[in-house]
Amino acid sequence: MFRCSEVAERASLLIDGELGLWPRLNIRLHLAMCRGCRAFVEQMRITRDLAVLAGAAEDPLPSAEIQAALARRRIQSGRPS
């Protein structure tokens, strides 16, 4: 069974489905017993899913609302647009 540091090193490989059978089973066994590593791997999955969603957005520009907020912030800081 892997230690926490080994799970952390291999977590992205697990999430991406790039681990062989035995390393995957060893990590799954560790995750069954370690709440901290389960939370870590779940957060990595969420981050990966959000990154995929962000990359799939049709319009890469910020919304008008975000652009307006950024413009207000620039004006308040005295920086030109």
Side-chain angles (χ1 to χ4, degrees), residues 15-63:
I15 292 168
D16 294 336
E18 298 176 3
L19 280 179
L21 176 64
W22 290 113
R24 189 173 65 246
L25 290 175
N26 277 313
I27 287 179
R28 297 247 181 236
L29 177 61
H30 181 93
L31 294 177
M33 297 186 302
C34 182
R35 182 180 357 164
C37 286
R38 275 195 312 272
F40 176 75
V41 170
E42 181 59 24
Q43 286 298 315
M44 286 191 68
R45 281 192 178 108
I46 291 169
T47 301
R48 186 225 26 217
D49 292 346
L50 289 173
V52 168
L53 286 173
E58 291 179 22
D59 185 9
L61 296 174
S63 69

Side-chain angles (χ1 to χ4, degrees), residues 64-79:
E65 182 179 324
I66 292 174
Q67 288 180 12
L70 290 172
R72 282 192 302 274
R73 189 166 220 179
R74 276 190 230 104
I75 291 168
Q76 290 172 351
S77 69
R79 288 184 292 178

Side-chain angles (χ1 to χ4, degrees), residues 7 9 12 28 36 39 43 51 56 75 78 81:
V7 171
E9 290 172 5
S12 64
R28 297 247 181 236
Q43 286 298 315
I75 291 168
S81 295

